[in-house]
């Protein structure tokens, strides 16, 4: 059962966690770092840290919020790093212009062209976090509160303001006015 | 255009999903299995019992200007010790220790411990070919023990050892010599399980192993038969943390800032990093006995691989090995050596 730690089957548990929450962790990391490969690296780091610390997981939160909480911390650390503060990621920079991995290229191209991600990336981080967890990953406000370590009320406020900001940005898009 | 509340919610839910691929899952599992199994490896004669390199966040290097600092963001585990700025050359206080300076060349002398055969085998009956087995021979005139030599094991597509293991290897690690002294003229079997080396989906090692043993001290380049050209970059170690693993292992994270101090670009894909830890105020180099050392390529995904003159980059190495209770009291050093001297 997810959330229960079996010390005799740590690898099996890790595999289960990845199957169930790998996409959640990767997408949440992507929403911070705006870079597919960096998000992959952070996801790997998150799962290995969880694997090493599995016996310290006390079940006070769900595995999902525990993993996403680790993800948030790792991403914040990354954003504070020298590299993140001095390098600007652009999705198009990531797209391999040649190479055999057409699947990866297709994913990167879809992400580059995705209007929703573009809008979300323009939001301040505190709104981006809650919108991604609520709308993209289907967490409740209580789960988001546990993940981010803020009150449920703060989560609801940020959701409301985040939605307003998204609306403002969508309405300011020139091509939207034409459609 | 007016966007209703529902329109916005529907739009937000329609974002392209970033995939978590099966390939990534398998990579993480392999790294986790390496973490889990390595400290519990069964005792084997002549087996080098540490491993290096968990994938994750990764990195590169060049010579060390080290600052050991507390409280590096994201680092977990033991509290880091405060320490002063140190250069590798300053730590080499003894006249017998060759200074290690960015941009300089250092010498390594091939040991008389010869590798006469090398290949792959299965550590478990019927299992994948996951173990390197070599026949080593003492071609010298005195006994050779573990403390006398340091091995470099690499995996690559070529088998040319004329310029050492580095130029033709995709994956590298330091390894130990024989656990028991090898008398002159004596040969024995040497084995090592490289848990993070390139493997296929069934766990078979997929590249050709190469192994060479060097004497246990860095030498002046002109007096040795192998030269490592160090990249002209400075590094600042911004954090080190250790996470215990099991009863016998630990994972060490080393975060560095690296800056190209020279006048030509440095390609991080064409250097290897040497990370080593020495007791405080001890004059020593990375080949000396009782030094904890790691050798790794630089992972350049997500970073600028070509470091222009004056440019900086932040790198993190995640290195797993046997438990070393003194490591957090030791001084970290990082050096980058060109793979094509």
């Amino acid at each position: 059962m997810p959330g229960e730690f079996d010390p005799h089957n740590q690898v099996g548990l890790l595999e289960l966690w990845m199957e169930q929450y790998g996409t959640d962790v990767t997408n949440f990391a992507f929403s911070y770092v705006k870079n597919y490969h960096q998000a992959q690296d952070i996801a790997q780091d998150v799962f290995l840290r969880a694997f090493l610390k599995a016996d310290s997981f006390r079940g006070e939160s769900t595995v999902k919020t525990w993993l996403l909480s680790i993800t948030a911390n790792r991403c914040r650390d990354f954003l504070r790093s020298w590299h993140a503060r001095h390098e600007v990621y652009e999705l198009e920079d990531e797209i391999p212009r040649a190479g055999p991995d057409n699947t990866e290229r297709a994913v990167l191209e879809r992400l580059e062209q995705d209007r929703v991600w573009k809008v979300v990336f323009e939001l301040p981080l505190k709104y981006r976090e809650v919108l991604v967890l609520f709308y993209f990953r289907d967490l409740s406000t209580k789960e988001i509160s546990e993940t981010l370590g803020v009150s449920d009320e703060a989560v609801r406020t940020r959701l409301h303001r985040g939605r307003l900001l998204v609306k403002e940005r969508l309405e300011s898009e020139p091509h939207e006015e034409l459609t | 255009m007016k966007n209703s509340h529902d329109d916005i919610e529907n739009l937000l839910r329609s974002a392209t999903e970033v995939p978590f691929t099966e390939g990534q899952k398998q990579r993480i599992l392999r790294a986790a299995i390496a973490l889990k199994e390595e400290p519990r490896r069964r005792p084997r004669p002549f087996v080098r019992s540490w491993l290096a390199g968990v994938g994750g966040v990764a990195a590169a290097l060049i010579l060390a200007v080290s600052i050991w600092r507390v409280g590096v963001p994201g680092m977990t585990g033991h509290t880091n010790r405060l320490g002063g700025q140190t250069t590798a050359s300053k730590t080499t206080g003894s006249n017998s220790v060759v200074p290690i300076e960015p941009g300089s060349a250092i010498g390594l002398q091939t040991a008389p411990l010869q590798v006469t055969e090398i290949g792959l085998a299965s550590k478990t009956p019927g299992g994948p070919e996951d173990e390197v087995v070599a026949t080593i021979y003492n071609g010298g005139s005195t006994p050779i023990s573990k403390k006398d030599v340091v091995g470099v094991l690499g995996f690559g597509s070529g088998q040319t050892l004329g310029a050492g293991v580095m130029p033709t290897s995709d994956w590298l690690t330091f390894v130990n010599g024989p656990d028991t002294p090898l008398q002159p003229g004596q040969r024995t079997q040497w084995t090592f399980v490289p848990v993070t080396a390139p493997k296929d989906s069934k766990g078979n090692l997929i590249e050709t192993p190469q192994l060479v043993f060097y004497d246990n001290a860095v030498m002046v380049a002109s007096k040795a038969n192998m030269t490592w050209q160090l990249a002209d970059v400075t590094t600042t170690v911004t954090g080190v943390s250790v996470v215990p693993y099991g009863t016998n292992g630990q994972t060490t994270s080393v975060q560095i800032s690296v800056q190209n101090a020279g006048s030509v670009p440095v390609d991080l894909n064409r250097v290897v990093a040497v990370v080593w830890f020495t007791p405080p105020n001890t004059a020593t180099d990375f080949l000396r006995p009782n030094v904890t050392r790691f050798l790794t390529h630089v992972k350049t995904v997500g970073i600028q691989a070509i470091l222009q003159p004056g440019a900086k980059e932040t790198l993190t190495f995640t290195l797993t090995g046997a438990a070393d209770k003194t490591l957090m009291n030791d001084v970290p050093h990082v050096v980058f050596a060109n793979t094509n001297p």
Side-chain angles (χ1 to χ4, degrees):
Chain A
M1 171 183 172
E4 291 184 352
F5 173 62
D6 174 6
H8 302 296
N9 189 20
Q10 294 179 41
V11 174
L13 194 57
L14 174 64
E15 187 169 14
L16 183 65
W17 289 347
M18 287 194 290
E19 287 172 357
Q20 294 188 325
Y21 310 120
T23 307
D24 292 317
V25 167
T26 304
N27 278 264
F28 192 36
F30 182 70
S31 73
Y32 281 90
V33 300
K34 309 177 185 179
N35 177 286
Y36 177 50
H37 292 116
Q38 188 63 48
Q40 285 185 313
D41 280 350
I42 288 175
Q44 173 162 329
D45 187 46
V46 167
F47 281 112
L48 289 177
R49 282 171 184 267
F51 177 72
L52 290 171
K53 294 182 171 182
D55 53 356
S56 67
F57 176 65
R58 300 181 185 282
E60 293 166 350
S61 60
T62 65
V63 170
K64 185 176 182 177
T65 58
W66 178 55
L67 292 170
L68 291 173
S69 178
I70 297 172
T71 307
N73 289 329
R74 298 300 300 143
C75 289
R76 289 166 184 160
D77 290 341
F78 173 79
L79 293 177
R80 282 194 291 264
S81 69
W82 185 95
H83 179 72
R85 286 184 283 112
H86 291 75
E87 297 295 323
V88 177
Y89 283 131
E90 297 292 346
L91 277 172
E92 54 265 35
D93 292 343
E94 291 191 72
I95 298 177
R97 299 302 173 193
D101 194 346
N102 292 327
T103 303
E104 182 179 73
R105 177 175 178 151
V107 169
L108 290 171
E109 285 181 341
R110 281 203 305 275
L111 289 170
E112 180 197 9
Q113 294 162 6
D114 193 287
R115 175 188 174 206
V116 182
W117 277 114
K118 284 182 178 176
V119 170
V120 168
F121 283 154
E122 292 175 1
L123 300 178
L125 186 57
K126 66 178 182 180
Y127 302 122
R128 200 190 316 158
E129 291 172 326
V130 294
L131 285 176
V132 167
L133 290 175
F134 189 82
Y135 289 111
F136 293 25
R137 310 319 315 162
D138 291 325
L139 265 67
S140 66
T141 56
K142 181 175 183 297
E143 289 174 320
I144 297 171
S145 167
E146 291 173 0
T147 299
L148 300 178
V150 298
S151 69
D152 188 74
E153 184 182 1
V155 171
R156 291 173 187 274
T157 301
R158 291 179 190 182
L159 264 180
H160 176 70
R161 291 178 180 168
R163 273 193 300 261
L164 290 179
L165 287 172
V166 170
K167 184 178 180 182
E168 287 174 12
R169 279 163 174 72
L170 290 176
E171 290 179 350
S172 67
E173 287 181 348
H175 65 280
E176 282 300 311
E177 296 295 333
L178 301 173
T179 57
Chain B
M1 168 185 169
K2 298 298 180 186
N3 294 285
S4 70
H5 184 86
D6 288 345
D7 288 339
I8 292 173
E9 294 202 340
N10 289 335
L11 180 71
L12 287 170
R13 294 185 196 281
S14 70
T16 300
E17 188 152 85
V18 184
F20 181 77
T21 64
E22 178 65 21
Q24 188 182 10
K25 189 181 91 173
Q26 293 304 322
R27 281 194 294 276
I28 296 171
L29 281 175
R30 284 197 294 273
I33 290 168
L35 284 171
K36 181 182 174 65
E37 292 185 347
E38 184 64 20
R40 300 176 185 173
R41 186 176 299 157
R42 67 191 187 281
R44 301 167 63 89
F46 314 125
V47 173
R48 173 77 163 100
S49 62
W50 65 263
L51 62 148
V54 177
V57 204
L61 35 118
I62 291 194
L63 176 64
V65 178
S66 308
I67 297 175
W68 186 273
R69 229 165 44 193
V70 170
V72 176
M75 294 290 186
T76 58
H78 296 166
T79 302
N80 291 333
R81 179 181 63 81
L82 272 176
Q85 181 168 332
T86 310
T87 64
S89 58
K90 288 177 182 174
T91 64
T92 54
S94 165
N95 290 334
S96 63
V97 176
V98 175
I100 299 177
E101 307 275 7
S104 70
I106 57 174
L108 287 77
Q109 180 64 38
T110 306
L113 186 62
Q114 301 163 10
V115 179
T116 58
E117 289 180 280
I118 187 167
L120 302 176
S122 301
K123 67 177 179 180
T124 53
E129 287 191 331
D130 55 358
E131 185 175 54
V132 178
V133 179
T135 301
I136 55 176
Y137 170 75
N138 184 351
S141 56
T142 58
I144 297 175
S145 64
K146 181 191 289 187
K147 67 177 176 56
D148 297 324
V149 296
V150 174
V152 173
L153 173 67
F155 281 87
S157 53
Q159 299 189 53
T160 303
L161 281 175
V165 172
M166 280 201 304
T168 54
S169 294
D170 304 318
W171 183 93
L172 286 165
T173 186
F174 284 125
V175 294
N176 282 344
D179 282 347
T180 55
L182 200 60
Q183 300 300 317
Q186 186 182 4
R187 68 185 66 235
T188 190
Q189 190 181 72
W190 176 98
T191 61
F192 179 74
V193 179
V195 291
T196 60
K199 294 176 183 174
D200 64 17
S201 59
K202 296 179 180 176
N204 296 298
L205 292 163
I206 56 176
E207 295 188 312
T208 305
Q210 306 170 87
L211 174 63
V212 63
F213 288 96
Y214 297 105
D215 287 344
N216 64 357
V218 170
M219 302 179 68
V220 173
S222 60
K223 295 183 177 178
N225 62 356
M226 177 63 58
T227 299
W228 283 12
Q229 179 62 48
L230 303 181
D232 194 4
V233 298
T234 57
T235 59
T236 300
V237 178
T238 55
V240 178
S241 66
V242 173
V243 178
Y245 182 76
T247 54
N248 299 315
Q250 67 185 33
T251 298
T252 305
S253 293
V254 180
Q255 187 175 55
I256 68 167
S257 172
V258 57
Q259 181 172 24
N260 185 345
S263 57
V264 297
V266 173
D267 185 348
L268 296 177
N269 288 312
R270 295 179 181 276
V271 297
V272 293
V274 182
V275 183
W276 78 104
F277 295 81
T278 59
N281 304 314
T282 301
T284 189
D285 62 59
F286 60 83
L287 292 181
R288 301 284 174 152
N290 303 319
V291 166
T292 301
R293 56 188 151 249
F294 301 93
L295 181 64
T296 180
H297 282 90
V298 177
K299 186 177 179 184
T300 56
V301 172
I303 65 170
Q304 48 179 340
I306 307 295
L307 206 58
Q308 298 296 332
K312 290 182 179 179
E313 185 57 86
T314 299
L315 306 170
T316 301
F317 299 94
T318 304
L319 308 157
T320 300
D324 180 352
K325 292 180 180 177
T326 66
L327 187 130
M328 289 304 290
N329 295 322
D330 291 347
V331 179
H333 309 268
V334 181
V335 132
F336 289 85
N338 296 336
T339 55
N340 291 298

